[in-house]
Every structure is written in structure tokens, then in C-alpha cells.
Amino acid sequence: MLRHPPPFLSRFPPFYPSIQHWMCLHVDVGVVHFTPLAQPQIQQPFKLVEKLVRNVFQFRGKHCYKGLEMLFPEAVRPKLAEELLRSADVDPTLRPVQLSMAHFRSLADAYSRLCRENQELISYDFRDELRRKHQSRSRSSKSKDPHTRHPIKEEKC
């Protein structure tokens, strides 16, 4: 049995009554098994639903419209995000964890409808747009940087 707490505990306030208490913290462990439903609750392709859910939960602490905006290209982002939320009848100020299965179902249906109207939306990924912006900025900053060394041309004598 240890008589003194480990050295790193001395930096923290003494909220542990004794080292024995610290050594005996309990952890609960469990195994979860998921069984798919025979009839899915959202009648849309899995890829579409996965993309929608990933984008919604990308900004967990923010309102759901922030993540939903990322489903659309920057030029039409506010307009299409507003249309998506309006047609799905979802409050844009809800946080992602507050959305119910019914909300996700209506969002998936509305997004599917928008994708049918505009075919390039289904393949749109905002990360590609960010990558292109970053590459163009880095190219332009390299050419404008006065501290960038240019090769010195050696003249033959």
C-alpha cells in the first residue's frame, strides 16, 4: 500500500481524502450490440442520411443551421440552408442533440428533394472547397512574400 500520493497529485487541490480512495475509482464497462431495424425510420439512401447527420453534428455546440449550411456551396449557402430548414419545418436555433428522429427524417426528405433539383449537391463536400481556397491562398502568398528567396542567377565571367 502506498503511503504518499503520487507527485502529480500535489499540484491539485486535496479533494481526494486518501490515496486509497484515489486508487479505488470504479469504472463501469459494457458491451452494446446494435441490430438494424427491418424497416428504417428514414426512407432515404444511407449515404445521404450519413452526410446529413455528419454535417449537423459537426458543430455540436452551435445551432443546427451551422452544420446544415455546410451541405451547400458557399455562393448559395444561406439561401439553400434556409430553404432546407423551412421545408423540413425545423427550428434553426435547435442544437444538434435536441433534434429528434422526426426532425432528421424531414431534413433528409427535404435535402433529398434539393439534391434531385440540383444534381451536384449530392457530391458536394465543403472540405474540397476549403482545400482549394487554402491552396490558392498559399500559392498567392508565396508569390507575394518579400522574404521568399529567389534563386540568384550566376553569371559566367
Side-chain angles (χ1 to χ4, degrees), residues 152-157:
I152 299 173
K153 294 181 183 176
E154 293 184 24
E155 295 181 14
K156 293 184 180 180
C157 297

Side-chain angles (χ1 to χ4, degrees), residues 17 23 27 40 42 62 71 79 92 95 111 122 129 135-136 145 152 156:
M23 300 289 284
V27 177
I42 299 176
K62 307 228 181 259
L71 290 169
K79 178 185 151 213
R95 303 214 184 276
Y111 184 58
I122 196 66
E129 191 172 2
Q135 287 172 349
S136 67
D145 188 10
I152 299 173
K156 293 184 180 180

Side-chain angles (χ1 to χ4, degrees), residues 28-84:
D28 291 331
V29 178
V31 176
V32 178
H33 178 75
F34 292 103
T35 306
L37 296 173
Q39 184 68 25
Q41 292 189 11
I42 299 176
Q43 300 297 319
Q44 296 297 335
F46 177 76
K47 290 283 190 188
L48 183 136
V49 176
E50 181 185 32
K51 182 179 178 183
L52 178 80
V53 172
R54 280 183 188 267
N55 276 278
V56 169
F57 280 102
Q58 180 173 354
F59 302 106
R60 282 183 195 89
K62 307 228 181 259
H63 295 140
C64 65
Y65 74 86
K66 272 301 211 197
L68 290 170
E69 282 182 334
M70 301 314 238
L71 290 169
F72 307 108
E74 195 171 12
V76 292
R77 192 169 282 165
K79 178 185 151 213
L80 288 179
E82 182 182 333
E83 183 180 336
L84 173 67

Side-chain angles (χ1 to χ4, degrees), residues 4-146:
H4 301 289
F8 67 88
L9 282 180
S10 63
R11 293 189 303 250
F12 300 105
F15 51 84
Y16 292 112
S18 69
I19 191 65
Q20 289 86 8
H21 173 72
W22 179 75
M23 300 289 284
C24 298
L25 294 177
H26 296 284
V27 177
D28 291 331
V29 178
V31 176
V32 178
H33 178 75
F34 292 103
T35 306
L37 296 173
Q39 184 68 25
Q41 292 189 11
I42 299 176
Q43 300 297 319
Q44 296 297 335
F46 177 76
K47 290 283 190 188
L48 183 136
V49 176
E50 181 185 32
K51 182 179 178 183
L52 178 80
V53 172
R54 280 183 188 267
N55 276 278
V56 169
F57 280 102
Q58 180 173 354
F59 302 106
R60 282 183 195 89
K62 307 228 181 259
H63 295 140
C64 65
Y65 74 86
K66 272 301 211 197
L68 290 170
E69 282 182 334
M70 301 314 238
L71 290 169
F72 307 108
E74 195 171 12
V76 292
R77 192 169 282 165
K79 178 185 151 213
L80 288 179
E82 182 182 333
E83 183 180 336
L84 173 67
L85 287 161
R86 193 174 351 95
S87 64
D89 194 30
V90 173
D91 180 10
T93 61
L94 288 176
R95 303 214 184 276
V97 295
Q98 296 172 314
L99 295 174
S100 67
M101 186 57 74
H103 288 128
F104 280 108
R105 185 181 311 114
S106 61
L107 283 168
D109 292 340
Y111 184 58
S112 175
R113 207 170 21 259
L114 285 172
C115 288
R116 277 194 304 270
E117 293 169 5
N118 194 347
Q119 291 293 320
E120 68 260 6
L121 284 181
I122 196 66
S123 62
Y124 174 75
D125 184 6
F126 77 94
R127 289 173 192 87
D128 293 336
E129 191 172 2
L130 286 176
R131 231 176 270 121
R132 282 193 299 271
K133 275 185 179 180
H134 180 70
Q135 287 172 349
S136 67
R137 282 185 192 152
S138 65
R139 282 187 201 127
S140 64
S141 68
K142 283 180 184 176
S143 63
K144 294 178 183 176
D145 188 10

